[in-house]
Amino acid sequence: IIGTNQARLFQSEVNGFVPGGIPRNISAIFQDHAGRMWVGTEDGLALLESQNLKLFSVRDGMPSADVHAIAEDIEGNLWVGTSGGLACLRDGKITAFHKSDGLPSENISALLADSDGVLWIGTRGSGLARFAKNQWTHYTTSEGLAGNSIGYLIDDEAGNLWLGSNSGLTRVARKSLNDFASGATRSTKR
């Protein structure tokens, strides 16, 4: 599957690529543990199963239809970052999170659910958020990040979190971020 920002999703067939059934700009593609394909578009979150398409949008409880990032946590919950907040799809129900719930920004640009059950949330302009056990922690350049617009998040086997930001690439030990969240330290070490 190939997603474009020119309003198409293409699927590989024997004789080449053919247009799929999602007609709007695509900003995220994610395959969950069950093998289902999820596609983030400016019209909502699309679930592709076989030849069927289900679209989740604001009328279904999404905080915004403009989806930027998708991740799945160790419990099988699907997290969706949008331009209007964060959504969690659990057992077919959507729960929305906003600034009033603890998000540093409602413009979510990247998500990563790590193996420890922590959800890392990259924002456009407001740094990084950590969500674990219903507790929020915020990190910005004041806590040692290189930049506050986080576009990409990955973790590695050595326990590091890698952040692609408006100021370049940052590697920080997840332990350092977790120690900051618990109050054991006052800054993060890159």
Side-chain angles (χ1 to χ4, degrees):
I1 292 179
I2 298 173
T4 72
N5 65 356
Q6 300 299 316
R8 288 308 248 196
L9 178 75
F10 291 88
Q11 203 166 332
S12 176
E13 298 289 336
V14 175
N15 295 324
F17 290 98
V18 296
I22 299 176
R24 301 295 284 183
N25 292 349
I26 294 165
S27 53
I29 299 174
F30 182 81
Q31 185 173 24
D32 69 17
H33 75 280
R36 296 175 297 192
M37 295 300 295
W38 297 89
V39 180
T41 76
E42 64 185 22
D43 290 333
L45 176 69
L47 169 60
L48 301 173
E49 286 186 293
S50 311
Q51 300 300 319
N52 299 320
L53 171 72
K54 177 168 173 71
L55 187 67
F56 297 89
S57 192
V58 175
R59 69 179 169 273
D60 301 301
M62 294 287 290
S64 167
D66 191 14
V67 174
H68 296 284
I70 308 165
E72 183 180 25
D73 67 22
I74 58 176
E75 296 176 358
N77 301 311
L78 196 72
W79 293 89
V80 184
T82 75
S83 61
L86 179 68
C88 179
L89 180 59
R90 177 182 299 132
D91 299 325
K93 295 181 182 175
I94 295 173
T95 303
F97 296 87
H98 299 279
K99 283 181 82 169
S100 60
D101 299 307
L103 278 174
S105 168
E106 293 186 348
N107 198 348
I108 309 301
S109 51
L111 294 172
L112 173 72
D114 73 19
S115 59
D116 295 327
V118 176
L119 180 67
W120 300 97
I121 302 137
T123 70
R124 288 198 172 112
S126 296
L128 179 70
R130 176 188 186 274
F131 186 60
K133 299 178 183 168
N134 291 319
Q135 297 293 316
W136 295 93
T137 306
H138 305 150
Y139 309 87
T140 65
T141 54
S142 297
E143 287 76 38
L145 297 185
N148 285 329
S149 288
I150 311 296
Y152 300 94
L153 294 168
I154 63 167
D155 59 353
D156 65 24
E157 293 177 2
N160 296 305
L161 187 64
W162 294 80
L163 298 86
S165 76
N166 61 326
S167 297
L169 183 65
T170 301
R171 179 186 69 184
V172 60
R174 282 195 335 244
K175 181 181 182 333
S176 176
L177 296 168
N178 291 333
D179 285 349
F180 178 84
S182 71
T185 63
R186 291 189 176 166
S187 67
T188 61
K189 297 177 187 174
R190 290 191 269 160

